[in-house]
Amino acid sequence: MRRGDRHMWRRLAVAVVGVLLLGGAYLAVRTVASRRETVMQTAADAARAAVRSARAEDAMRWAPDELAAAELASRDALTSQRVEQVRAWPIPDAAPVVDAWFAAERAAHAAATSARSRRTEAARSASTQIEEARAALSASELVAATIHLGPGRWLLATARTVLDEARAYQRAGALETAAARARDAASLAERVRDHAAAVAARYADAETVARWQRWKSETIAWSRREGRAAIVVVKDAHLMTLFVHGELVKSYTVELGFNWIADKLQEGDGATPEGRYRVVARMDHLASDYYKALLIDYPNAEDRAEFGRAHRRGEIPASARIGGLIEIHGGGGRQYDWTNGCVSVTNPDIDNLFGRVSVGTPVTIVGSDTYGPIAEFANQHRRDATNRRP
């Protein structure tokens, strides 16, 4: 081979080797670059998936600050990745970019955890508040079955409606609103019991109960001393007892005014009066709307005096009238308190009573002759209120 040919072949070989070296170097660079791009993209995908999971946990509502921090970290990581791809092309430094994506992923996981925890706590709180409101409402309904609440019954009706609203909010996932409405319902139910306790307070008052017991004892003593019939009505027991010669002859179950727990103060209040009265007329079935009746002398002088005092204290309106026509009459047996203030028994019982009672027979009506369930309710309510005070 000539010298010129050898030289040409040498240069060709060098060129080939150079091309091969350059090709190998290019492949090596592309392999490394591709691996680093893959690592960065994998980290980015994991962080974005974590953010989506946080949103699925409703972090926008329950952990908005944590979610905002995760989204900000994601944007910072993406910026870092793009800058690195330009700055260090073709082989970016993946480590700081991956660290940035990891930071975003951790922030997203924290947002999801916080959202889940707070939602669970809110659901527990709503359930607890609703259950407490239900129990408070149930207790108030039990009280209302015994104690006439008058216009205060709208509080009970409102409490039921508000509790229904709380349950609806709970079903809709509005847990904080559900808890708030449940607290409102419980508060209304408590106001019902406050009102009922105020009405029932007389039955726990030692002086009042002692007066009632004295009236009953004096009535029985009169019957014994005079050898005649006398009647005692105990309102909370719904019991009327006939005494003759001071001895118990017969007891009758009675139905009273729809607002029997109160002492009668004015016409139309539905209360059965408390005091010491006498039968002033016997009305047979032709004269009474309720088969037969024994009319008593309500209002007596003491009732009129109390009516005047209530007027002066502003407890009743100026237009109020004291009312009257309080009877022990038939037509009863309805199993609830329905009269406007009278004492009602069954027709056979009024027949029985008619045969034993005459005009002038004492009729003593008391709220209670002992500390019964109504007094215990009033006392327990007072103790509960004391314990709730800070």
Side-chain angles (χ1 to χ4, degrees), residues 100-113:
W101 283 118
F102 281 173
E105 184 182 0
R106 287 195 297 273
H109 285 318
T113 300

Side-chain angles (χ1 to χ4, degrees), residues 48-123:
R48 288 165 178 153
V51 171
R52 288 196 296 272
S53 295
R55 288 174 178 160
E57 294 286 357
D58 206 6
M60 182 71 78
R61 176 180 180 184
W62 297 105
D65 293 341
E66 291 90 337
L67 179 62
E71 291 174 334
L72 178 60
S74 293
R75 288 195 295 272
D76 288 346
L78 180 60
T79 300
S80 174
Q81 181 174 336
R82 289 173 174 170
V83 169
E84 187 62 23
Q85 287 169 331
V86 173
R87 184 189 68 79
W89 186 90
I91 305 178
D93 184 359
V97 175
V98 170
D99 287 345
W101 283 118
F102 281 173
E105 184 182 0
R106 287 195 297 273
H109 285 318
T113 300
S114 295
R116 193 181 308 115
S117 174
R118 290 168 190 168
R119 188 178 65 247
T120 300
E121 174 58 25

Side-chain angles (χ1 to χ4, degrees), residues 5 13 15 25 61 68 82 86 140 153 170 183 188 212 214 219 261 316 321 342 355 389:
D5 291 341
R61 176 180 180 184
R82 289 173 174 170
V86 173
S140 295
R153 290 191 69 85
Q170 184 188 36
R183 286 192 292 272
L188 288 168
W212 287 337
R214 177 170 55 80
T219 300
I261 197 169
I316 55 177
R321 300 193 306 176
C342 294
R389 290 196 188 103

